[in-house]
Amino acid sequence: MLLFLAFTAGPVLGSLGMSFTDIRQRDLRTPFSVNGVGVDNYVKALQDETFRKAAFNTAYFVVIGVPLTLVLALGAAVLLDRGVKRFQALFKVGYYLPVVTSIVAIAVIWRFVLSPDNGLLNTVLGWVGIDGPNWLASKTWAMPSLIAMAAWRNFGSAMIIFLAGLQGIPDSVEEAGQIDGAGAWQRFRYLILPLLRPTILFTSVTTGIGYLQFFEEPFVMTKGGPLDSTLSVSMYTYNQFGFGNYGLATSMAYILFVVIAVITFIQFRLLREK
Amino acid sequence: MFTHSIRRRLVIGSAALTATALALAGCGRSEDTPSGGSQPTTTVSEGPATGNLTVWAMGTEGENLPKLMEQFKQANPGVNVTVTPIPWDAAHNKFTTAITANTLPDAAMVGTTWMGEFADLGALDPTPQGFDNSGFYEGALNTTKVGGTQYGVPWYVETRLVFYRKDLAAKAGISTPPTDWDGLKAMAKAMKEKAGAKYGINLQPGGDGSWQTVMPFAWSAGANITGDDQKEFTFDTPEMQEGLKYYQSFFTEGLAGTALPPNQTEAQFVNGQVPMFISGPWMAGSVAKAGGDAIKPNIGVFQIPKNKTSTSFVGGSDFVVFKSSKNKDSAWKLVKFLSDPKTQAAWFKMSSDLPAVKSAWQDPSIASDPLLPVFGKQLEDAKAPPAIVNWEQVAKAFDTEIEKMAKSGQSPADTAKAIQTKASQIGTGGS
């Protein structure tokens, strides 16, 4: 209990308090010069054009990225579940590998893939006569590039959970469907998917929270550019900490916290067992 | 910490929901203690340095400094110097944490643009009397001055020049490097049209640190970052707009690219795709590394072209002593040793860092170099941003607006206005 107070509750409450003050880095030495400013930081953050842009980018990333990741994960899980059992372990490891690989190593590979002149992607596009854009330097394409990269990197972890869910469904359920004359798609849609509901809830909540905190991909790939088109809320918050604007930065962190809490709550309402 | 004054301000704060602007102006900090203004009163004593000294230095300087310290120890047998090398990426954080926690070393190398911030945090010891400041380049010396007080001394300097491919320039019909704005533009055009380059010149289209390339043009047109008292920003001026307009024209006329891959400056210079760029002295080495011996005789440099003036950016590092040091007298002796012309010339040979002391440039190792004397000449007219607390943050806003101007055609007038607005919101900081 004491440890919890000292290392968890204390810092959380402390930072919450901080978000209502005008504390800057220099004030850490002279804490008595800190003034309470009420909700000023929150108002300031919400009025900040760049913060709103970052919020929009984060929403974009989540709205496209989470479904994409989950569909990829579920697809891979179904294929693994039905596929040749002999190679199952190999594919499991293969798909899971990006999850455990350092983002820095992944960034190097993806920079090569997305490189405009001799990158893998544009070379392949060139074969079919398409002149690919400069992915990471384009305002339009930078975000889709990062979404693709994030989905590729993260779907493995959701896949493992889906696979466990699928293997938890007894074969008799599908056999029953087969006897009733349901096709493969119908069996999947009306039998498997509803039974997977708790698994879908779990993966969409965890993936959603992870993606709302979208940080590493723009940090290593684009630094939020070009023209702030890949700047995320987490990254903007991080920048504000770097500038020593602790009060403003913590308020941004709490805005993100509230948004995550609300979205998670909605997910639970939509997907819980009826 | 949570006194009734906080509660009172919380009430004021909630009123801010309806009248934010008013509240933002009304709830400014009022309890700041002025940190500038303390004048040097101390002097450094005679005799050799003694005791233990701890020193922090970044990057390759941190690795090379122990070698120089051997010389210092020979002259001062009673002293023991411990150098801690710090990576550049981690340095700013390490310093600010150490300032907060009072765990600073005795002396350290400090990036010139951090001086304002650290001085504001009350960490730096004002430079004692008895330092020969007339020997330093003026632009470099100015980086040590915060609010009229000098902290530390300039240690090494760098400034930016235009690099160009001599062979391709000859192919483009240019035998003498340009000296003014029209000349540079014409040269970029000729490089593109006659020498087969993809772009005439590599200019940074916004992004981290692009202000270092933009400001020389604006300074040369007569612009300034702040007024003389360093309290107000002066980004929205006709001079600034003129500099921005000239910078933007390279992009709109297709002479500079907006989507060049990063970290390819050297490679594109070597293969002739982009045969000009603006950068500092270290680039001579990295170009030679990328292109081998064949490229060396073809590397040329010339000074920032002239409009009203031909002003470049001066960077580098200063050497400071911290207020919390228990061995200040010896620490200042070390700083004095480092700023001695002989030491500066010796240090150049160890590190390739350009001396901040003018007389050290007469050392044959520098004077006989084919490129370095041009840097020395440019240093006579080079500026650094004012030492203000919030500079890093203002620079970031500047870089963002430059990106909008170069990539999405924001007009120079709007760019100047936007930088001014953002910078004023951020404020110069400090007290």
Side-chain angles (χ1 to χ4, degrees), chain B residues 45 53 57 67 96 129 134 149 165 185 197-198 203 220-221 258 286 303-304 314 334 349 371 377 382 391 402:
Chain B
S45 71
L53 284 175
K67 279 186 262 169
T96 47
Q129 281 155 353
S134 62
T149 309
R165 279 277 296 270
K185 182 66 86 49
K198 191 173 168 200
L203 295 174
S220 296
T258 54
S286 33
Q303 279 181 259
I304 295 294
V314 57
L334 171 66
K349 283 169 211 160
L371 304 178
K377 216 156 159 264
W391 174 251
I402 293 300

Side-chain angles (χ1 to χ4, degrees), chain A residues 22 24-29 32-33 35-40 43 47 134 226-228 239-240 243 245, chain B residues 9-10 13 16-17 20 29 31-32 96 99-100 102 117 120-121 259 390 392-393 396 400 403-404 407:
Chain A
D22 64 353
R24 290 183 48 81
Q25 187 160 32
R26 56 195 294 235
D27 296 319
L28 292 181
R29 290 184 90 190
F32 293 105
S33 69
N35 299 315
V37 293
V39 292
D40 270 14
V43 176
Q47 284 183 338
N134 187 351
L227 292 168
D228 291 342
N239 288 346
Q240 289 302 328
F243 293 139
N245 300 330
Chain B
R9 278 166 185 277
L10 282 173
L17 265 175
T20 327
R29 45 180 60 248
E31 293 155 57
D32 284 344
T96 47
I99 290 170
T100 314
N102 240 332
E117 186 182 352
D120 181 70
L121 288 164
N390 288 345
E392 296 284 325
Q393 202 174 342
K396 174 98 183 162
T400 310
E403 191 176 12
K404 286 186 197 161
K407 288 186 180 166

Side-chain angles (χ1 to χ4, degrees), chain B residues 61-105:
Chain B
E61 283 73 27
E63 288 157 31
N64 289 324
L65 197 55
K67 279 186 262 169
L68 191 67
M69 288 302 107
E70 292 303 319
Q71 296 183 12
F72 182 62
K73 273 182 228 170
Q74 272 167 17
N76 303 274
V79 80
N80 183 27
V81 186
T82 318
V83 179
T84 309
I86 304 172
W88 267 110
D89 314 359
H92 186 264
N93 242 335
K94 189 164 165 82
F95 273 110
T96 47
T97 313
I99 290 170
T100 314
N102 240 332
T103 52
L104 286 162

Side-chain angles (χ1 to χ4, degrees), chain B residues 13-255:
Chain B
S14 27
L17 265 175
T18 47
T20 327
L22 219 142
L24 279 175
C27 287
R29 45 180 60 248
S30 51
E31 293 155 57
D32 284 344
T33 43
S35 55
S38 47
Q39 290 303 319
T41 48
T42 47
T43 46
V44 183
S45 71
E46 295 292 315
T50 52
N52 289 320
L53 284 175
T54 49
V55 173
W56 287 357
M58 284 79 87
T60 46
E61 283 73 27
E63 288 157 31
N64 289 324
L65 197 55
K67 279 186 262 169
L68 191 67
M69 288 302 107
E70 292 303 319
Q71 296 183 12
F72 182 62
K73 273 182 228 170
Q74 272 167 17
N76 303 274
V79 80
N80 183 27
V81 186
T82 318
V83 179
T84 309
I86 304 172
W88 267 110
D89 314 359
H92 186 264
N93 242 335
K94 189 164 165 82
F95 273 110
T96 47
T97 313
I99 290 170
T100 314
N102 240 332
T103 52
L104 286 162
D106 294 294
M109 151 188 174
V110 166
T112 51
T113 51
W114 301 346
M115 293 294 288
E117 186 182 352
F118 294 175
D120 181 70
L121 288 164
L124 306 179
D125 197 38
T127 312
Q129 281 155 353
F131 275 82
D132 178 18
N133 287 323
S134 62
F136 296 115
Y137 283 106
E138 201 196 332
L141 185 63
N142 282 339
T143 65
T144 63
K145 288 180 182 163
V146 184
T149 309
Q150 185 190 349
Y151 299 96
V153 298
W155 185 30
Y156 70 87
V157 290
E158 56 97 349
T159 188
R160 309 294 161 90
L161 295 179
V162 186
F163 283 74
Y164 74 107
R165 279 277 296 270
K166 281 184 179 168
D167 51 340
L168 292 177
K171 208 171 154 192
I174 291 162
S175 48
T176 47
T179 53
D180 59 5
W181 280 17
D182 290 341
L184 180 69
K185 182 66 86 49
M187 182 166 177
K189 252 186 209 140
M191 285 290 202
K192 194 180 169 182
E193 284 158 12
K194 296 182 200 156
K198 191 173 168 200
Y199 293 110
I201 186 167
N202 187 338
L203 295 174
Q204 217 182 322
D208 278 349
S210 57
W211 62 271
Q212 294 170 355
T213 318
V214 179
M215 276 317 292
F217 292 110
W219 277 322
S220 296
N224 273 307
I225 290 174
T226 61
D228 286 338
D229 59 356
Q230 302 194 354
K231 297 271 182 224
E232 296 285 327
F233 290 104
T234 55
F235 284 113
D236 193 11
T237 59
E239 291 83 8
M240 176 64 79
Q241 289 182 23
E242 195 182 349
L244 294 176
K245 205 171 148 194
Y246 181 67
Y247 197 79
Q248 190 191 35
S249 69
F250 282 94
F251 296 99
T252 48
E253 290 170 32
L255 299 172

Side-chain angles (χ1 to χ4, degrees), chain A residues 18-62:
Chain A
M18 225 162 147
S19 73
F20 294 106
T21 68
D22 64 353
I23 188 166
R24 290 183 48 81
Q25 187 160 32
R26 56 195 294 235
D27 296 319
L28 292 181
R29 290 184 90 190
T30 51
F32 293 105
S33 69
V34 174
N35 299 315
V37 293
V39 292
D40 270 14
N41 286 327
Y42 290 87
V43 176
K44 212 168 153 187
L46 293 173
Q47 284 183 338
D48 181 349
E49 219 179 288
T50 317
F51 181 77
R52 288 203 290 224
K53 176 127 204 213
F56 170 80
N57 292 338
T58 308
Y60 179 8
F61 183 78
V62 169

Side-chain angles (χ1 to χ4, degrees), chain B residues 295-316:
Chain B
I295 197 78
K296 271 188 197 162
N298 288 325
I299 306 174
V301 290
F302 57 89
Q303 279 181 259
I304 295 294
K306 191 174 173 178
N307 181 292
K308 283 195 186 72
T309 57
S310 117
T311 309
S312 189
F313 166 83
V314 57

